[in-house]
Amino acid sequence: MGFLVGKRVLIAGIASNRSIAFGIAQAMRREGAELALTYQNDRLRGRVEKIAKQLDSSIVVPCDVSTDEAIEACFDELGKHWDGLDSIVHSIAFAPKEQLEGSIVDNTTREGSIIAHDISSYSFLAMARYGRQLMQGRNGSLLTLSYLGAVAAVPNYNVMGMAKASLEAAVRLMAYDLGPEGTRVNAISAGPIRTLAAAGIGDFRKMLDHVEANAPLRRNVTIEEVGNMAAFLCSDLASGITGEITYVDAGYNIVGMSGYGNDEA
Ligand code: NAP
């Protein structure tokens, strides 16, 4: 029997079958969870509905996280299907493409910074607020996706690094706030994976090559590997874990002297 049998999980952020959220949904379904999926707008609705079918899910609700009204409506709609919710997976980030290249000092605009923080960080907290009622009394958990750029300078990641730092702080603050009611809050910091969102980051190919050459495991990670950690963190097996940022990155984050030993000289 799977370790998520009896759990109801809302997953936000599936854009394609390459999305990290798709890897998470697959792992959670394999372990027996019932899933509901969100889509941002009508452009993606059909695609997400098709993916939902593959995951035996019939609950597909709109949720553009750029407004509180849409997030509230998403949970109102979900409440018509389910009388309780065990987990929310937030696998969403966005910054205008021109913000994700070159000099952070020269290229970051006030508007770009507001958008990056709003969609990539604040929206996690807003989902927690509107989902809170449905999660009462279930010892549930919230999960979001971060990246090393939150804690280290990564070329081209720029304002998204600031947004991810804010997101990781939110994980700790939300864990502290929701802990007394039994709800856990965690993040996975994933290594680079080729997805639609990643395509917006300048020189992304170089990031993949660099990790492959320098991570202890000498390779990149897959959405399946991130999915397995997500399934674990949202299960009762992780009942003592909250406020954590867990790396699934082939060990890249622990390397202090990247490139050492790779030179021919
Ligand atoms: P992805 O497949 O492109 O997923 C990003 C998702 O965010 C898409 O479903 C996108 O929907 C959604 N989104 C953007 N703006 C939204 C909005 N206003 N309302 C609702 N949804 C919105 O890319 P991904 O790489 O799997 O990204 C998922 C998460 O993993 C992100 O937080 C990302 O920063 C994080 N992450 C990615 C990597 C990586 O290398 N890929 C590494 C570490 C962490 P639309 O397509 O409709 O815009």
Side-chain angles (χ1 to χ4, degrees), residues 36 40-41 43 47-48 68 113 115 137 159 178 196 241-242:
Q40 185 188 168
N41 54 39
R43 189 175 52 83
R47 197 189 297 175
V48 176
D68 279 12
S113 172
I115 293 172
V159 73
L178 298 178
L196 291 172
I241 301 174
T242 193

PDB file of all heavy atoms in Angstrom, residues 36 40-41 43 47-48 68 113 115 137 159 178 196 241-242:
ATOM      1  N   ALA A  36      -5.827  16.990  -6.950  1.00  0.00           N
ATOM      2  CA  ALA A  36      -6.542  18.047  -7.676  1.00  0.00           C
ATOM      3  C   ALA A  36      -5.466  18.941  -8.278  1.00  0.00           C
ATOM      4  O   ALA A  36      -4.434  19.176  -7.644  1.00  0.00           O
ATOM      5  CB  ALA A  36      -7.420  18.842  -6.719  1.00  0.00           C
ATOM      6  N   GLN A  40      -3.289  27.973 -14.784  1.00  0.00           N
ATOM      7  CA  GLN A  40      -3.255  29.422 -14.627  1.00  0.00           C
ATOM      8  C   GLN A  40      -4.373  30.124 -15.396  1.00  0.00           C
ATOM      9  O   GLN A  40      -5.007  31.025 -14.884  1.00  0.00           O
ATOM     10  CB  GLN A  40      -1.886  29.966 -15.072  1.00  0.00           C
ATOM     11  CG  GLN A  40      -1.771  31.444 -14.818  1.00  0.00           C
ATOM     12  CD  GLN A  40      -0.533  32.106 -15.400  1.00  0.00           C
ATOM     13  OE1 GLN A  40      -0.454  33.316 -15.444  1.00  0.00           O
ATOM     14  NE2 GLN A  40       0.436  31.329 -15.857  1.00  0.00           N
ATOM     15  N   ASN A  41      -4.565  29.733 -16.661  1.00  0.00           N
ATOM     16  CA  ASN A  41      -5.585  30.406 -17.467  1.00  0.00           C
ATOM     17  C   ASN A  41      -6.079  29.463 -18.570  1.00  0.00           C
ATOM     18  O   ASN A  41      -5.563  28.346 -18.717  1.00  0.00           O
ATOM     19  CB  ASN A  41      -5.037  31.711 -18.076  1.00  0.00           C
ATOM     20  CG  ASN A  41      -3.757  31.461 -18.849  1.00  0.00           C
ATOM     21  OD1 ASN A  41      -3.639  30.440 -19.530  1.00  0.00           O
ATOM     22  ND2 ASN A  41      -2.799  32.352 -18.742  1.00  0.00           N
ATOM     23  N   ARG A  43      -5.662  29.195 -21.591  1.00  0.00           N
ATOM     24  CA  ARG A  43      -4.668  28.718 -22.562  1.00  0.00           C
ATOM     25  C   ARG A  43      -4.143  27.336 -22.157  1.00  0.00           C
ATOM     26  O   ARG A  43      -3.848  26.497 -23.001  1.00  0.00           O
ATOM     27  CB  ARG A  43      -3.524  29.746 -22.609  1.00  0.00           C
ATOM     28  CG  ARG A  43      -2.490  29.574 -23.691  1.00  0.00           C
ATOM     29  CD  ARG A  43      -1.506  30.736 -23.668  1.00  0.00           C
ATOM     30  NE  ARG A  43      -0.939  30.974 -22.347  1.00  0.00           N
ATOM     31  CZ  ARG A  43       0.099  30.314 -21.837  1.00  0.00           C
ATOM     32  NH1 ARG A  43       0.698  29.380 -22.529  1.00  0.00           N
ATOM     33  NH2 ARG A  43       0.555  30.601 -20.628  1.00  0.00           N
ATOM     34  N   ARG A  47      -4.609  21.335 -21.625  1.00  0.00           N
ATOM     35  CA  ARG A  47      -3.398  20.538 -21.384  1.00  0.00           C
ATOM     36  C   ARG A  47      -3.398  19.964 -19.961  1.00  0.00           C
ATOM     37  O   ARG A  47      -3.088  18.803 -19.751  1.00  0.00           O
ATOM     38  CB  ARG A  47      -2.163  21.425 -21.589  1.00  0.00           C
ATOM     39  CG  ARG A  47      -0.912  20.589 -21.758  1.00  0.00           C
ATOM     40  CD  ARG A  47       0.346  21.409 -21.746  1.00  0.00           C
ATOM     41  NE  ARG A  47       0.445  22.363 -22.843  1.00  0.00           N
ATOM     42  CZ  ARG A  47       1.436  23.248 -22.949  1.00  0.00           C
ATOM     43  NH1 ARG A  47       2.382  23.296 -22.040  1.00  0.00           N
ATOM     44  NH2 ARG A  47       1.479  24.092 -23.952  1.00  0.00           N
ATOM     45  N   VAL A  48      -3.795  20.775 -19.005  1.00  0.00           N
ATOM     46  CA  VAL A  48      -3.795  20.293 -17.613  1.00  0.00           C
ATOM     47  C   VAL A  48      -4.899  19.248 -17.418  1.00  0.00           C
ATOM     48  O   VAL A  48      -4.709  18.263 -16.689  1.00  0.00           O
ATOM     49  CB  VAL A  48      -3.928  21.481 -16.619  1.00  0.00           C
ATOM     50  CG1 VAL A  48      -4.031  20.983 -15.178  1.00  0.00           C
ATOM     51  CG2 VAL A  48      -2.735  22.422 -16.755  1.00  0.00           C
ATOM     52  N   ASP A  68      -5.456  37.698  -5.246  1.00  0.00           N
ATOM     53  CA  ASP A  68      -5.998  36.976  -4.093  1.00  0.00           C
ATOM     54  C   ASP A  68      -7.392  36.441  -4.411  1.00  0.00           C
ATOM     55  O   ASP A  68      -7.769  35.367  -3.935  1.00  0.00           O
ATOM     56  CB  ASP A  68      -6.071  37.898  -2.867  1.00  0.00           C
ATOM     57  CG  ASP A  68      -4.712  38.023  -2.169  1.00  0.00           C
ATOM     58  OD1 ASP A  68      -3.697  37.593  -2.765  1.00  0.00           O
ATOM     59  OD2 ASP A  68      -4.670  38.549  -1.046  1.00  0.00           O
ATOM     60  N   SER A 113      10.948  43.318 -10.193  1.00  0.00           N
ATOM     61  CA  SER A 113      11.165  42.813  -8.846  1.00  0.00           C
ATOM     62  C   SER A 113       9.826  42.533  -8.154  1.00  0.00           C
ATOM     63  O   SER A 113       9.649  41.505  -7.499  1.00  0.00           O
ATOM     64  CB  SER A 113      11.971  43.858  -8.060  1.00  0.00           C
ATOM     65  OG  SER A 113      12.035  43.492  -6.719  1.00  0.00           O
ATOM     66  N   ILE A 115       6.959  41.816  -9.583  1.00  0.00           N
ATOM     67  CA  ILE A 115       6.312  40.643 -10.203  1.00  0.00           C
ATOM     68  C   ILE A 115       6.973  39.354  -9.697  1.00  0.00           C
ATOM     69  O   ILE A 115       6.309  38.394  -9.314  1.00  0.00           O
ATOM     70  CB  ILE A 115       6.396  40.717 -11.747  1.00  0.00           C
ATOM     71  CG1 ILE A 115       5.541  41.869 -12.266  1.00  0.00           C
ATOM     72  CG2 ILE A 115       5.953  39.395 -12.383  1.00  0.00           C
ATOM     73  CD1 ILE A 115       5.709  42.155 -13.757  1.00  0.00           C
ATOM     74  N   GLY A 137      -7.223  20.344  11.221  1.00  0.00           N
ATOM     75  CA  GLY A 137      -7.402  19.045  11.875  1.00  0.00           C
ATOM     76  C   GLY A 137      -6.891  17.850  11.095  1.00  0.00           C
ATOM     77  O   GLY A 137      -7.271  16.714  11.368  1.00  0.00           O
ATOM     78  N   VAL A 159      17.041  38.585 -10.037  1.00  0.00           N
ATOM     79  CA  VAL A 159      15.954  38.927  -9.112  1.00  0.00           C
ATOM     80  C   VAL A 159      15.207  37.684  -8.616  1.00  0.00           C
ATOM     81  O   VAL A 159      14.606  37.687  -7.546  1.00  0.00           O
ATOM     82  CB  VAL A 159      14.989  39.954  -9.755  1.00  0.00           C
ATOM     83  CG1 VAL A 159      14.125  39.298 -10.833  1.00  0.00           C
ATOM     84  CG2 VAL A 159      14.108  40.617  -8.701  1.00  0.00           C
ATOM     85  N   LEU A 178       2.021  28.073  11.490  1.00  0.00           N
ATOM     86  CA  LEU A 178       1.014  27.015  11.324  1.00  0.00           C
ATOM     87  C   LEU A 178       1.307  25.761  12.138  1.00  0.00           C
ATOM     88  O   LEU A 178       0.436  24.897  12.275  1.00  0.00           O
ATOM     89  CB  LEU A 178       0.896  26.645   9.831  1.00  0.00           C
ATOM     90  CG  LEU A 178       0.423  27.776   8.901  1.00  0.00           C
ATOM     91  CD1 LEU A 178       0.402  27.306   7.445  1.00  0.00           C
ATOM     92  CD2 LEU A 178      -0.959  28.277   9.304  1.00  0.00           C
ATOM     93  N   LEU A 196       9.868  24.525 -18.900  1.00  0.00           N
ATOM     94  CA  LEU A 196       9.495  25.778 -19.573  1.00  0.00           C
ATOM     95  C   LEU A 196      10.025  26.985 -18.809  1.00  0.00           C
ATOM     96  O   LEU A 196      10.586  27.915 -19.388  1.00  0.00           O
ATOM     97  CB  LEU A 196       7.977  25.872 -19.704  1.00  0.00           C
ATOM     98  CG  LEU A 196       7.333  24.884 -20.679  1.00  0.00           C
ATOM     99  CD1 LEU A 196       5.808  24.936 -20.577  1.00  0.00           C
ATOM    100  CD2 LEU A 196       7.778  25.171 -22.108  1.00  0.00           C
ATOM    101  N   ILE A 241       9.138  16.842  10.418  1.00  0.00           N
ATOM    102  CA  ILE A 241       9.954  17.781   9.626  1.00  0.00           C
ATOM    103  C   ILE A 241       9.125  18.993   9.216  1.00  0.00           C
ATOM    104  O   ILE A 241       8.118  18.857   8.514  1.00  0.00           O
ATOM    105  CB  ILE A 241      10.489  17.084   8.350  1.00  0.00           C
ATOM    106  CG1 ILE A 241      11.329  15.864   8.727  1.00  0.00           C
ATOM    107  CG2 ILE A 241      11.311  18.062   7.509  1.00  0.00           C
ATOM    108  CD1 ILE A 241      11.788  15.032   7.542  1.00  0.00           C
ATOM    109  N   THR A 242       9.543  20.174   9.672  1.00  0.00           N
ATOM    110  CA  THR A 242       8.879  21.395   9.209  1.00  0.00           C
ATOM    111  C   THR A 242       9.865  22.562   9.189  1.00  0.00           C
ATOM    112  O   THR A 242      10.840  22.571   9.947  1.00  0.00           O
ATOM    113  CB  THR A 242       7.629  21.726  10.050  1.00  0.00           C
ATOM    114  OG1 THR A 242       6.868  22.726   9.358  1.00  0.00           O
ATOM    115  CG2 THR A 242       7.972  22.236  11.451  1.00  0.00           C
TER     116      THR A 242
END
